[in-house]
Amino acid sequence: MTFTLSKSLEILERTPRVLSNLLSGLSEEWINGNEGQNTWSAKQAVAHLIVCEETNWLPRVKIILFDNTNKTLEPISMTSHFDVAVHHTLDSLLHDFETLRKNGIEALKSYHLNDLDFIKSAFHPEIQEVNLKQLISTWAIHDLTHINQISRVLAKQYKNEVGPFKKYLKLLQCI
């Protein structure tokens, strides 16, 4: 599939609703379960998405489009979401994510991007030059990655409960 903003928005606009439908009302055992040491729970993954909304996606879009002096994309914190998760309920995290995402998409749409905007770029210290098309594509796939992660983490909680049916459940075979 070739990149278009509208196709990316199809995913980006749905993610908060998907996560809310999947996670709202689940017990603490479901939302705080993980895959073992140094892995994330569903709640922590949602907190990570919030941190990315605040520090990654739209801030990087703005650097690529508008910052004429510093075109460097700073790495994001891969640990700050742990603190966010500890200090908030899952329901408040889901609400905050929905609000941040809605505002981010509205801002993105307000830029009235054209084909020349999508080839504008900035420098990422680990992967070098990245353009706006790549950043927005990554934003959408990042959402899908964490939806997949959350589904996998939830499935792992019943890994030992499905008995011999495990052989039919590909999701459990990879964990």
Side-chain angles (χ1 to χ4, degrees):
M1 176 183 312
T2 302
F3 168 85
T4 65
L5 180 59
S6 63
K7 287 178 186 170
S8 296
L9 290 174
E10 289 177 23
I11 298 297
L12 296 172
E13 291 173 333
R14 284 168 173 76
T15 300
R17 191 170 51 250
V18 167
L19 292 175
S20 184
N21 287 339
L22 179 62
L23 299 172
S24 290
L26 291 181
S27 68
E28 293 293 314
E29 198 169 9
W30 281 113
I31 64 171
N32 290 314
N34 61 35
E35 297 176 283
Q37 188 174 4
N38 298 319
T39 65
W40 298 357
S41 68
K43 183 179 179 183
Q44 291 167 334
V46 173
H48 169 74
L49 290 167
I50 288 171
V51 169
C52 288
E53 289 298 307
E54 294 173 333
T55 66
N56 188 1
W57 306 116
L58 199 58
R60 288 179 172 190
V61 168
K62 290 176 183 177
I63 289 170
I64 290 172
L65 291 174
F66 306 121
D67 195 333
N68 292 322
T69 57
N70 181 10
K71 291 282 195 182
T72 300
L73 307 176
E74 296 300 322
I76 64 164
S77 169
M78 292 304 290
T79 59
S80 61
H81 64 280
F82 295 123
D83 191 50
V84 172
V86 166
H87 291 98
H88 296 86
T89 65
L90 178 62
D91 284 341
S92 70
L93 292 173
L94 290 167
H95 177 266
D96 291 349
F97 177 58
E98 180 180 8
T99 301
L100 288 165
R101 177 57 61 86
K102 181 181 177 201
N103 293 340
I105 288 173
E106 286 175 5
L108 190 62
K109 288 178 178 179
S110 76
Y111 301 148
H112 304 287
L113 300 170
N114 62 51
D115 289 343
L116 293 177
D117 290 321
F118 292 119
I119 60 173
K120 291 179 180 177
S121 64
F123 179 80
H124 186 285
E126 290 181 26
I127 55 176
Q128 309 304 313
E129 187 176 7
V130 296
N131 64 38
L132 186 59
K133 174 183 79 167
Q134 293 165 332
L135 180 70
I136 295 172
S137 297
T138 301
W139 189 359
I141 300 309
H142 182 263
D143 277 14
L144 294 172
T145 298
H146 287 293
I147 291 169
N148 182 19
Q149 173 194 28
I150 289 167
S151 296
R152 189 185 68 238
V153 168
L154 293 174
K156 177 128 186 199
Q157 305 315 302
Y158 262 18
K159 180 180 180 182
N160 296 324
E161 304 304 318
V162 299
F165 287 108
K166 180 180 176 186
K167 80 182 224 174
Y168 300 115
L169 304 169
K170 289 185 181 193
L171 183 60
L172 291 180
Q173 294 168 12
C174 68
I175 52 179

